[in-house]
Amino acid sequence: MRAESIPHVEYEILNEVINNIEIADVQDAMVTDTVTEKRFKTGAKNVAKLLRNLMTRRAHRLPHTHKDYKPKEE
């Protein structure tokens, strides 16, 4: 796959982070009880939401042939 634009590269990097980076080591180091487990899960969900939002904001700038391309809504 050729890098068609900077937003295309950013989108693919964000997609890779969401789908393939394991956070179990961070969880093991930070979670010690039910309170910290709840905090960790909430924080992880918040970060995933932020990353998905960044991806959504770039979808209209992907190549038109990309499977995730979506025209910009006005």
Side-chain angles (χ1 to χ4, degrees), residues 20-58:
N20 296 316
I21 293 190
E22 185 61 46
I23 60 170
D25 291 340
V26 178
Q27 184 176 12
D28 290 343
M30 296 187 83
V31 175
T32 58
D33 56 27
T34 57
V35 173
T36 55
E37 180 178 15
K38 182 179 178 185
R39 287 179 189 151
F40 187 86
K41 286 181 179 180
T42 301
K45 286 179 190 175
N46 291 346
V47 169
K49 185 176 179 180
L50 284 169
L51 293 175
R52 282 192 211 97
N53 183 33
L54 289 171
M55 289 176 69
T56 300
R57 290 174 40 205
R58 284 158 177 76

